[in-house]
Amino acid sequence: QVQLVESGGGLVQAGDSLRLSCAASASGRTFSIYTMGWFRQTPGKEREFVAAIRWSTLNTYYADSVKGRFTISRDNAKKMVYLQMNSLKPEDTAVYYCALCSSYHSGSDKSEYPYDYWGQGTQVSVSS
């Protein structure tokens, strides 16, 4: 079982920046990472894709709504993934979830289905 713990959320003003972090661990056991991603959800809406990174190739994928403002990166040694969020907008307000896909899949990294493990989420609130 892999545990994911997000941190870095908070309340900021429009135009500000935040950096989210997600730490992956498995009680000392080794585990594989194929892709890690960030999703977000607001009340009454479905969870939506934000960004993803392929662990070995470092290929990155972004939702159109965040492209050019958000950057996903990872630290393999620490088994962490980050989401640098710049030029935040009120519509970025949501609970942000970290997700991990542990094995190869032929589907889209922008879909929830390849991801085996999910974090508890961290709240990001952007005021206008």
Side-chain angles (χ1 to χ4, degrees):
Q1 189 76 4
V2 176
Q3 292 82 41
L4 301 177
V5 178
E6 303 100 334
S7 61
L11 173 62
V12 297
Q13 293 186 331
D16 286 352
S17 298
L18 274 178
R19 188 194 195 208
L20 303 184
S21 300
C22 175
S25 63
S27 302
R29 293 180 290 111
T30 59
F31 56 96
S32 300
I33 303 175
Y34 184 71
T35 303
M36 288 192 75
W38 290 94
F39 291 74
R40 66 188 182 186
Q41 188 172 27
T42 54
K45 296 183 67 176
E46 292 188 354
R47 192 156 50 189
E48 65 173 4
F49 170 78
V50 176
I53 185 166
R54 287 279 176 99
W55 209 252
S56 60
T57 66
L58 295 178
N59 287 349
T60 57
Y61 309 92
Y62 296 95
D64 289 342
S65 58
V66 306
K67 205 170 291 183
R69 300 188 297 122
F70 290 11
T71 303
I72 189 170
S73 61
R74 62 92 164 136
D75 184 325
N76 185 44
K78 296 181 179 179
K79 295 296 186 283
M80 292 192 69
V81 66
Y82 307 98
L83 186 67
Q84 178 66 42
M85 305 185 294
N86 298 330
S87 303
L88 282 161
K89 304 175 180 180
E91 51 263 45
D92 294 319
T93 295
V95 176
Y96 283 71
Y97 296 91
C98 173
L100 184 152
C101 170
S102 60
S103 58
Y104 168 81
H105 68 91
S106 59
S108 171
D109 290 316
K110 298 181 180 181
S111 168
E112 292 190 23
Y113 297 105
Y115 295 92
D116 309 292
Y117 304 100
W118 293 82
Q120 293 300 307
T122 185
Q123 176 71 46
V124 171
S125 299
V126 184
S127 63
S128 57

